[in-house]
């Protein structure tokens, strides 16, 4: 029975911790822009320096 009380206390502590982290994230604006990060990966270009490194490795 004492193990059950310890587990309930630990789970409540974990739940309060996650709630505090969620409130901190919302207050700091982590959820304000949910669209741009998902589209940003589609518009990334390959950097020119990376292309020159690839051409150098093919010549060898």
């Amino acid at each position: 029975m004492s193990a059950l009380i310890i587990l309930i206390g630990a789970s409540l502590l974990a739940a309060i911790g996650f709630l505090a982290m969620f409130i901190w994230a919302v207050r700091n604006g982590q959820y304000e822009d949910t669209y741009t990060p998902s589209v940003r990966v589609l518009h990334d270009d390959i950097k020119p320096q990376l292309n020159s490194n690839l051409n150098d490795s093919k010549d060898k």
Side-chain angles (χ1 to χ4, degrees):
M1 187 67 180
S2 63
L4 186 63
I5 292 172
I6 292 172
L7 289 175
I8 290 173
S11 65
L12 283 175
L13 209 73
I16 290 171
F18 282 116
L19 180 65
M21 288 188 286
F22 176 73
I23 290 171
W24 175 81
V26 169
R27 286 188 178 178
N28 286 325
Q30 295 292 320
Y31 296 107
E32 287 182 359
D33 186 15
T34 58
Y35 179 71
T36 303
S38 64
V39 176
R40 186 180 310 146
V41 71
L42 299 174
H43 300 291
D44 282 344
D45 294 330
I46 297 174
K47 295 179 181 176
Q49 184 179 9
L50 179 64
N51 284 339
S52 66
N53 289 340
L54 290 175
N55 291 335
D56 292 338
S57 65
K58 288 180 182 177
D59 293 335
K60 292 181 180 177

Short mmCIF file of all heavy atoms in Angstrom, two decimals:
data_model
loop_
_atom_site.label_atom_id
_atom_site.label_comp_id
_atom_site.label_asym_id
_atom_site.label_seq_id
_atom_site.Cartn_x
_atom_site.Cartn_y
_atom_site.Cartn_z
N MET A 1 0.83 -1.20 0.00
CA MET A 1 0.00 0.00 0.00
C MET A 1 0.87 1.25 0.00
O MET A 1 0.50 2.24 -0.60
CB MET A 1 -0.91 -0.03 1.23
CG MET A 1 -1.93 1.07 1.25
SD MET A 1 -3.10 0.81 -0.09
CE MET A 1 -4.16 2.17 0.14
N SER A 2 2.03 1.18 0.68
CA SER A 2 2.89 2.36 0.72
C SER A 2 3.52 2.62 -0.65
O SER A 2 3.78 3.78 -0.99
CB SER A 2 3.97 2.21 1.78
OG SER A 2 4.81 1.12 1.46
N ALA A 3 3.73 1.56 -1.44
CA ALA A 3 4.27 1.76 -2.80
C ALA A 3 3.27 2.51 -3.67
O ALA A 3 3.67 3.35 -4.49
CB ALA A 3 4.59 0.42 -3.42
N LEU A 4 2.00 2.23 -3.48
CA LEU A 4 0.96 2.94 -4.24
C LEU A 4 0.96 4.42 -3.92
O LEU A 4 0.85 5.27 -4.82
CB LEU A 4 -0.41 2.32 -3.94
CG LEU A 4 -1.57 2.85 -4.76
CD1 LEU A 4 -1.36 2.55 -6.23
CD2 LEU A 4 -2.87 2.25 -4.28
N ILE A 5 1.13 4.77 -2.69
CA ILE A 5 1.16 6.18 -2.28
C ILE A 5 2.39 6.87 -2.87
O ILE A 5 2.30 8.00 -3.36
CB ILE A 5 1.14 6.29 -0.74
CG1 ILE A 5 -0.22 5.80 -0.23
CG2 ILE A 5 1.42 7.71 -0.29
CD1 ILE A 5 -0.29 5.68 1.27
N ILE A 6 3.52 6.17 -2.89
CA ILE A 6 4.74 6.74 -3.48
C ILE A 6 4.56 6.95 -4.98
O ILE A 6 4.93 7.98 -5.54
CB ILE A 6 5.95 5.83 -3.18
CG1 ILE A 6 6.26 5.88 -1.69
CG2 ILE A 6 7.17 6.25 -4.00
CD1 ILE A 6 7.31 4.88 -1.25
N LEU A 7 3.95 5.97 -5.67
CA LEU A 7 3.74 6.10 -7.12
C LEU A 7 2.76 7.22 -7.45
O LEU A 7 2.93 7.94 -8.43
CB LEU A 7 3.25 4.78 -7.69
CG LEU A 7 4.30 3.67 -7.74
CD1 LEU A 7 3.67 2.36 -8.22
CD2 LEU A 7 5.42 4.07 -8.67
N ILE A 8 1.72 7.36 -6.66
CA ILE A 8 0.77 8.46 -6.89
C ILE A 8 1.45 9.80 -6.68
O ILE A 8 1.28 10.73 -7.47
CB ILE A 8 -0.47 8.30 -5.97
CG1 ILE A 8 -1.31 7.12 -6.43
CG2 ILE A 8 -1.30 9.57 -5.96
CD1 ILE A 8 -2.45 6.77 -5.50
N GLY A 9 2.26 9.91 -5.65
CA GLY A 9 2.99 11.15 -5.41
C GLY A 9 3.97 11.46 -6.52
O GLY A 9 4.08 12.61 -6.97
N ALA A 10 4.68 10.44 -7.00
CA ALA A 10 5.64 10.65 -8.10
C ALA A 10 4.93 11.06 -9.38
O ALA A 10 5.39 11.93 -10.11
CB ALA A 10 6.46 9.39 -8.31
N SER A 11 3.78 10.44 -9.66
CA SER A 11 3.06 10.78 -10.88
C SER A 11 2.48 12.19 -10.79
O SER A 11 2.46 12.92 -11.79
CB SER A 11 1.96 9.76 -11.16
OG SER A 11 0.98 9.80 -10.15
N LEU A 12 2.01 12.58 -9.62
CA LEU A 12 1.52 13.96 -9.46
C LEU A 12 2.65 14.97 -9.63
O LEU A 12 2.47 16.02 -10.25
CB LEU A 12 0.85 14.13 -8.10
CG LEU A 12 -0.55 13.55 -7.98
CD1 LEU A 12 -1.05 13.68 -6.54
CD2 LEU A 12 -1.51 14.22 -8.93
N LEU A 13 3.81 14.64 -9.11
CA LEU A 13 4.97 15.52 -9.26
C LEU A 13 5.37 15.65 -10.74
O LEU A 13 5.65 16.76 -11.22
CB LEU A 13 6.14 14.97 -8.45
CG LEU A 13 7.12 15.99 -7.93
CD1 LEU A 13 6.49 16.76 -6.78
CD2 LEU A 13 8.37 15.31 -7.46
N ALA A 14 5.37 14.54 -11.46
CA ALA A 14 5.69 14.58 -12.89
C ALA A 14 4.64 15.37 -13.66
O ALA A 14 4.97 16.16 -14.55
CB ALA A 14 5.80 13.17 -13.45
N ALA A 15 3.36 15.19 -13.33
CA ALA A 15 2.30 15.92 -14.01
C ALA A 15 2.41 17.41 -13.76
O ALA A 15 2.23 18.22 -14.69
CB ALA A 15 0.94 15.39 -13.57
N ILE A 16 2.70 17.80 -12.55
CA ILE A 16 2.87 19.23 -12.24
C ILE A 16 4.08 19.79 -12.98
O ILE A 16 4.04 20.91 -13.50
CB ILE A 16 2.99 19.42 -10.72
CG1 ILE A 16 1.64 19.13 -10.06
CG2 ILE A 16 3.47 20.83 -10.37
CD1 ILE A 16 1.69 19.07 -8.54
N GLY A 17 5.14 19.02 -13.11
CA GLY A 17 6.31 19.46 -13.85
C GLY A 17 6.01 19.68 -15.32
O GLY A 17 6.40 20.68 -15.91
N PHE A 18 5.29 18.74 -15.93
CA PHE A 18 4.94 18.90 -17.35
C PHE A 18 3.98 20.07 -17.54
O PHE A 18 4.08 20.79 -18.54
CB PHE A 18 4.32 17.62 -17.90
CG PHE A 18 5.35 16.57 -18.21
CD1 PHE A 18 5.37 15.37 -17.52
CD2 PHE A 18 6.31 16.78 -19.18
CE1 PHE A 18 6.32 14.41 -17.78
CE2 PHE A 18 7.26 15.83 -19.46
CZ PHE A 18 7.27 14.64 -18.76
N LEU A 19 3.07 20.27 -16.62
CA LEU A 19 2.16 21.42 -16.71
C LEU A 19 2.93 22.72 -16.61
O LEU A 19 2.67 23.66 -17.38
CB LEU A 19 1.09 21.33 -15.62
CG LEU A 19 0.07 22.48 -15.62
CD1 LEU A 19 -0.76 22.43 -16.91
CD2 LEU A 19 -0.82 22.39 -14.40
N ALA A 20 3.89 22.79 -15.73
CA ALA A 20 4.71 24.00 -15.60
C ALA A 20 5.51 24.26 -16.88
O ALA A 20 5.61 25.40 -17.34
CB ALA A 20 5.63 23.88 -14.40
N MET A 21 6.08 23.20 -17.48
CA MET A 21 6.83 23.38 -18.73
C MET A 21 5.92 23.82 -19.86
O MET A 21 6.29 24.63 -20.70
CB MET A 21 7.55 22.09 -19.10
CG MET A 21 8.73 21.80 -18.22
SD MET A 21 9.74 20.42 -18.77
CE MET A 21 8.69 19.04 -18.32
N PHE A 22 4.69 23.29 -19.92
CA PHE A 22 3.74 23.69 -20.96
C PHE A 22 3.36 25.16 -20.80
O PHE A 22 3.33 25.91 -21.78
CB PHE A 22 2.49 22.81 -20.90
CG PHE A 22 1.44 23.21 -21.86
CD1 PHE A 22 1.59 22.98 -23.22
CD2 PHE A 22 0.28 23.83 -21.43
CE1 PHE A 22 0.62 23.36 -24.13
CE2 PHE A 22 -0.70 24.21 -22.32
CZ PHE A 22 -0.53 23.98 -23.66
N ILE A 23 3.08 25.59 -19.58
CA ILE A 23 2.72 26.99 -19.34
C ILE A 23 3.90 27.89 -19.68
O ILE A 23 3.72 28.94 -20.31
CB ILE A 23 2.26 27.17 -17.88
CG1 ILE A 23 0.91 26.49 -17.67
CG2 ILE A 23 2.19 28.65 -17.50
CD1 ILE A 23 0.45 26.43 -16.23
N TRP A 24 5.11 27.47 -19.36
CA TRP A 24 6.30 28.26 -19.71
C TRP A 24 6.44 28.39 -21.22
O TRP A 24 6.74 29.45 -21.75
CB TRP A 24 7.55 27.61 -19.12
CG TRP A 24 8.81 28.28 -19.53
CD1 TRP A 24 9.36 29.40 -19.01
CD2 TRP A 24 9.67 27.87 -20.60
NE1 TRP A 24 10.52 29.71 -19.68
CE2 TRP A 24 10.72 28.79 -20.66
CE3 TRP A 24 9.63 26.82 -21.50
CZ2 TRP A 24 11.74 28.67 -21.59
CZ3 TRP A 24 10.65 26.71 -22.43
CH2 TRP A 24 11.69 27.62 -22.46
N ALA A 25 6.20 27.29 -21.95
CA ALA A 25 6.32 27.32 -23.41
C ALA A 25 5.28 28.21 -24.04
O ALA A 25 5.56 28.95 -24.98
CB ALA A 25 6.22 25.90 -23.97
N VAL A 26 4.06 28.16 -23.55
CA VAL A 26 3.00 29.00 -24.11
C VAL A 26 3.29 30.47 -23.83
O VAL A 26 3.12 31.32 -24.72
CB VAL A 26 1.63 28.58 -23.54
CG1 VAL A 26 0.56 29.60 -23.89
CG2 VAL A 26 1.25 27.21 -24.06
N ARG A 27 3.76 30.80 -22.66
CA ARG A 27 4.05 32.20 -22.33
C ARG A 27 5.23 32.75 -23.12
O ARG A 27 5.32 33.94 -23.36
CB ARG A 27 4.33 32.35 -20.84
CG ARG A 27 3.10 32.25 -20.01
CD ARG A 27 3.38 32.58 -18.58
NE ARG A 27 2.13 32.51 -17.83
CZ ARG A 27 2.06 32.71 -16.53
NH1 ARG A 27 3.13 32.99 -15.86
NH2 ARG A 27 0.91 32.63 -15.92
N ASN A 28 6.16 31.89 -23.54
CA ASN A 28 7.33 32.34 -24.30
C ASN A 28 7.10 32.30 -25.80
O ASN A 28 8.02 32.54 -26.57
CB ASN A 28 8.56 31.51 -23.95
CG ASN A 28 9.08 31.89 -22.60
OD1 ASN A 28 9.02 33.04 -22.19
ND2 ASN A 28 9.56 30.91 -21.87
N GLY A 29 5.89 31.97 -26.25
CA GLY A 29 5.55 32.04 -27.67
C GLY A 29 5.97 30.85 -28.50
O GLY A 29 6.14 30.98 -29.71
N GLN A 30 6.12 29.70 -27.92
CA GLN A 30 6.54 28.51 -28.67
C GLN A 30 5.45 28.03 -29.62
O GLN A 30 5.73 27.34 -30.59
CB GLN A 30 6.90 27.38 -27.71
CG GLN A 30 8.09 27.69 -26.85
CD GLN A 30 9.37 27.75 -27.66
OE1 GLN A 30 9.57 26.95 -28.56
NE2 GLN A 30 10.20 28.73 -27.37
N TYR A 31 4.20 28.38 -29.37
CA TYR A 31 3.10 27.88 -30.20
C TYR A 31 2.44 28.98 -31.02
O TYR A 31 1.36 28.79 -31.54
CB TYR A 31 2.04 27.22 -29.31
CG TYR A 31 2.56 26.00 -28.60
CD1 TYR A 31 2.83 26.03 -27.24
CD2 TYR A 31 2.79 24.83 -29.29
CE1 TYR A 31 3.32 24.91 -26.60
CE2 TYR A 31 3.27 23.71 -28.66
CZ TYR A 31 3.53 23.76 -27.31
OH TYR A 31 4.02 22.65 -26.67
N GLU A 32 3.08 30.13 -31.19
CA GLU A 32 2.46 31.23 -31.93
C GLU A 32 2.45 30.96 -33.42
O GLU A 32 1.47 31.25 -34.10
CB GLU A 32 3.19 32.54 -31.63
CG GLU A 32 2.89 33.05 -30.25
CD GLU A 32 3.57 34.37 -29.97
OE1 GLU A 32 4.30 34.89 -30.84
OE2 GLU A 32 3.40 34.87 -28.85
N ASP A 33 3.52 30.46 -34.00
CA ASP A 33 3.60 30.22 -35.44
C ASP A 33 3.74 28.72 -35.67
O ASP A 33 4.82 28.18 -35.57
CB ASP A 33 4.78 30.97 -36.03
CG ASP A 33 4.81 30.86 -37.54
OD1 ASP A 33 3.79 30.47 -38.12
OD2 ASP A 33 5.86 31.19 -38.12
N THR A 34 2.66 28.08 -36.02
CA THR A 34 2.71 26.64 -36.25
C THR A 34 2.80 26.29 -37.73
O THR A 34 3.04 25.15 -38.08
CB THR A 34 1.47 25.96 -35.66
OG1 THR A 34 0.30 26.52 -36.24
CG2 THR A 34 1.44 26.12 -34.15
N TYR A 35 2.64 27.27 -38.63
CA TYR A 35 2.63 26.98 -40.06
C TYR A 35 4.01 27.10 -40.70
O TYR A 35 4.43 26.23 -41.47
CB TYR A 35 1.65 27.91 -40.76
CG TYR A 35 1.59 27.70 -42.25
CD1 TYR A 35 1.00 26.56 -42.78
CD2 TYR A 35 2.13 28.61 -43.13
CE1 TYR A 35 0.96 26.34 -44.13
CE2 TYR A 35 2.10 28.41 -44.48
CZ TYR A 35 1.51 27.27 -44.99
OH TYR A 35 1.48 27.05 -46.33
N THR A 36 4.74 28.16 -40.40
CA THR A 36 6.01 28.44 -41.07
C THR A 36 7.07 27.35 -40.89
O THR A 36 7.71 26.98 -41.87
CB THR A 36 6.56 29.79 -40.59
OG1 THR A 36 5.58 30.79 -40.84
CG2 THR A 36 7.83 30.16 -41.32
N PRO A 37 7.29 26.81 -39.72
CA PRO A 37 8.33 25.76 -39.62
C PRO A 37 8.04 24.53 -40.47
O PRO A 37 8.97 23.89 -40.97
CB PRO A 37 8.33 25.41 -38.13
CG PRO A 37 7.80 26.60 -37.46
CD PRO A 37 6.80 27.19 -38.41
N SER A 38 6.77 24.20 -40.67
CA SER A 38 6.47 23.02 -41.48
C SER A 38 6.69 23.28 -42.96
O SER A 38 6.94 22.35 -43.73
CB SER A 38 5.03 22.59 -41.25
OG SER A 38 4.13 23.58 -41.68
N VAL A 39 6.63 24.52 -43.42
CA VAL A 39 6.82 24.86 -44.83
C VAL A 39 8.27 25.24 -45.11
O VAL A 39 8.73 25.09 -46.24
CB VAL A 39 5.86 26.01 -45.21
CG1 VAL A 39 6.06 26.46 -46.62
CG2 VAL A 39 4.43 25.58 -45.00
N ARG A 40 8.99 25.70 -44.12
CA ARG A 40 10.36 26.18 -44.31
C ARG A 40 11.27 25.11 -44.90
O ARG A 40 12.11 25.39 -45.75
CB ARG A 40 10.93 26.66 -42.98
CG ARG A 40 12.29 27.31 -43.12
CD ARG A 40 12.85 27.77 -41.81
NE ARG A 40 11.89 28.57 -41.08
CZ ARG A 40 11.77 28.59 -39.76
NH1 ARG A 40 12.58 27.86 -39.04
NH2 ARG A 40 10.87 29.33 -39.17
N VAL A 41 11.08 23.88 -44.54
CA VAL A 41 11.94 22.81 -45.04
C VAL A 41 11.73 22.58 -46.54
O VAL A 41 12.63 22.13 -47.24
CB VAL A 41 11.70 21.51 -44.23
CG1 VAL A 41 10.36 20.92 -44.54
CG2 VAL A 41 12.81 20.52 -44.48
N LEU A 42 10.58 22.94 -47.07
CA LEU A 42 10.32 22.76 -48.49
C LEU A 42 11.02 23.80 -49.35
O LEU A 42 11.23 23.59 -50.53
CB LEU A 42 8.81 22.83 -48.75
CG LEU A 42 7.98 21.76 -48.04
CD1 LEU A 42 6.51 22.03 -48.26
CD2 LEU A 42 8.36 20.38 -48.52
N HIS A 43 11.37 24.95 -48.77
CA HIS A 43 11.97 26.04 -49.53
C HIS A 43 13.45 26.20 -49.25
O HIS A 43 14.04 27.18 -49.69
CB HIS A 43 11.23 27.34 -49.24
CG HIS A 43 9.78 27.28 -49.61
ND1 HIS A 43 9.36 27.22 -50.91
CD2 HIS A 43 8.68 27.22 -48.85
CE1 HIS A 43 8.05 27.14 -50.93
NE2 HIS A 43 7.60 27.14 -49.69
N ASP A 44 14.06 25.30 -48.57
CA ASP A 44 15.50 25.40 -48.32
C ASP A 44 16.27 25.11 -49.60
O ASP A 44 15.98 24.16 -50.32
CB ASP A 44 15.94 24.42 -47.25
CG ASP A 44 15.61 24.88 -45.86
OD1 ASP A 44 15.32 26.08 -45.70
OD2 ASP A 44 15.64 24.05 -44.94
N ASP A 45 17.25 25.94 -49.89
CA ASP A 45 18.10 25.75 -51.06
C ASP A 45 19.42 25.13 -50.62
O ASP A 45 19.87 25.32 -49.50
CB ASP A 45 18.36 27.08 -51.75
CG ASP A 45 17.10 27.66 -52.32
OD1 ASP A 45 16.21 26.90 -52.71
OD2 ASP A 45 17.02 28.89 -52.38
N ILE A 46 20.04 24.43 -51.54
CA ILE A 46 21.36 23.88 -51.24
C ILE A 46 22.36 25.02 -51.30
O ILE A 46 22.37 25.81 -52.23
CB ILE A 46 21.74 22.79 -52.25
CG1 ILE A 46 20.76 21.64 -52.12
CG2 ILE A 46 23.15 22.32 -52.03
CD1 ILE A 46 20.95 20.57 -53.17
N LYS A 47 23.21 25.11 -50.31
CA LYS A 47 24.17 26.20 -50.23
C LYS A 47 25.23 26.02 -51.32
O LYS A 47 25.66 24.89 -51.59
CB LYS A 47 24.82 26.22 -48.86
CG LYS A 47 23.84 26.54 -47.77
CD LYS A 47 24.51 26.53 -46.42
CE LYS A 47 23.47 26.82 -45.34
NZ LYS A 47 24.02 26.75 -44.00
N PRO A 48 25.67 27.13 -51.98
CA PRO A 48 26.68 27.03 -53.04
C PRO A 48 27.97 26.38 -52.57
O PRO A 48 28.63 25.69 -53.32
CB PRO A 48 26.91 28.48 -53.45
CG PRO A 48 25.76 29.23 -52.94
CD PRO A 48 25.20 28.47 -51.78
N GLN A 49 28.37 26.61 -51.34
CA GLN A 49 29.61 26.04 -50.83
C GLN A 49 29.52 24.51 -50.81
O GLN A 49 30.49 23.82 -51.11
CB GLN A 49 29.90 26.57 -49.45
CG GLN A 49 31.22 26.11 -48.89
CD GLN A 49 31.45 26.70 -47.51
OE1 GLN A 49 30.55 27.30 -46.94
NE2 GLN A 49 32.64 26.56 -47.01
N LEU A 50 28.33 23.99 -50.52
CA LEU A 50 28.15 22.56 -50.50
C LEU A 50 28.29 21.98 -51.90
O LEU A 50 28.89 20.93 -52.10
CB LEU A 50 26.77 22.21 -49.93
CG LEU A 50 26.41 20.74 -49.85
CD1 LEU A 50 27.35 20.05 -48.88
CD2 LEU A 50 24.98 20.59 -49.38
N ASN A 51 27.78 22.70 -52.93
CA ASN A 51 27.90 22.23 -54.31
C ASN A 51 29.36 22.18 -54.76
O ASN A 51 29.76 21.26 -55.46
CB ASN A 51 27.10 23.13 -55.25
CG ASN A 51 25.63 22.85 -55.15
OD1 ASN A 51 25.23 21.78 -54.70
ND2 ASN A 51 24.82 23.81 -55.53
N SER A 52 30.14 23.21 -54.39
CA SER A 52 31.55 23.20 -54.80
C SER A 52 32.30 22.06 -54.15
O SER A 52 33.19 21.47 -54.75
CB SER A 52 32.19 24.55 -54.48
OG SER A 52 32.25 24.72 -53.07
N ASN A 53 31.94 21.72 -52.93
CA ASN A 53 32.59 20.58 -52.26
C ASN A 53 32.23 19.27 -52.96
O ASN A 53 33.04 18.38 -53.07
CB ASN A 53 32.20 20.52 -50.79
CG ASN A 53 32.83 21.62 -49.98
OD1 ASN A 53 33.82 22.20 -50.40
ND2 ASN A 53 32.25 21.92 -48.84
N LEU A 54 30.99 19.16 -53.44
CA LEU A 54 30.58 17.94 -54.13
C LEU A 54 31.31 17.81 -55.47
O LEU A 54 31.71 16.72 -55.87
CB LEU A 54 29.07 17.94 -54.36
CG LEU A 54 28.20 17.77 -53.12
CD1 LEU A 54 26.73 17.91 -53.48
CD2 LEU A 54 28.45 16.41 -52.51
N ASN A 55 31.49 18.93 -56.20
CA ASN A 55 32.19 18.90 -57.48
C ASN A 55 33.66 18.53 -57.29
O ASN A 55 34.24 17.82 -58.11
CB ASN A 55 32.07 20.24 -58.19
CG ASN A 55 30.66 20.48 -58.66
OD1 ASN A 55 29.91 19.53 -58.87
ND2 ASN A 55 30.29 21.74 -58.83
N ASP A 56 34.29 19.03 -56.22
CA ASP A 56 35.68 18.72 -55.95
C ASP A 56 35.86 17.23 -55.65
O ASP A 56 36.84 16.62 -56.05
CB ASP A 56 36.21 19.54 -54.77
CG ASP A 56 36.32 21.01 -55.12
OD1 ASP A 56 36.40 21.34 -56.32
OD2 ASP A 56 36.34 21.83 -54.18
N SER A 57 34.91 16.65 -54.95
CA SER A 57 35.04 15.24 -54.61
C SER A 57 34.83 14.35 -55.83
O SER A 57 35.38 13.26 -55.92
CB SER A 57 34.06 14.86 -53.50
OG SER A 57 32.73 14.98 -53.94
N LYS A 58 34.04 14.81 -56.82
CA LYS A 58 33.82 14.02 -58.04
C LYS A 58 35.06 14.04 -58.94
O LYS A 58 35.33 13.10 -59.67
CB LYS A 58 32.62 14.56 -58.81
CG LYS A 58 31.29 14.26 -58.15
CD LYS A 58 30.15 14.82 -58.96
CE LYS A 58 28.82 14.57 -58.26
NZ LYS A 58 27.71 15.16 -59.01
N ASP A 59 35.81 15.14 -58.94
CA ASP A 59 36.99 15.27 -59.79
C ASP A 59 38.13 14.36 -59.34
O ASP A 59 38.98 13.99 -60.13
CB ASP A 59 37.47 16.73 -59.82
CG ASP A 59 36.46 17.62 -60.51
OD1 ASP A 59 35.68 17.11 -61.35
OD2 ASP A 59 36.47 18.83 -60.21
N LYS A 60 38.15 14.00 -58.08
CA LYS A 60 39.27 13.21 -57.56
C LYS A 60 39.15 11.77 -57.94
O LYS A 60 38.35 11.09 -58.17
CB LYS A 60 39.36 13.34 -56.04
CG LYS A 60 39.77 14.74 -55.64
CD LYS A 60 39.88 14.87 -54.15
CE LYS A 60 40.28 16.28 -53.78
NZ LYS A 60 40.33 16.46 -52.35
#
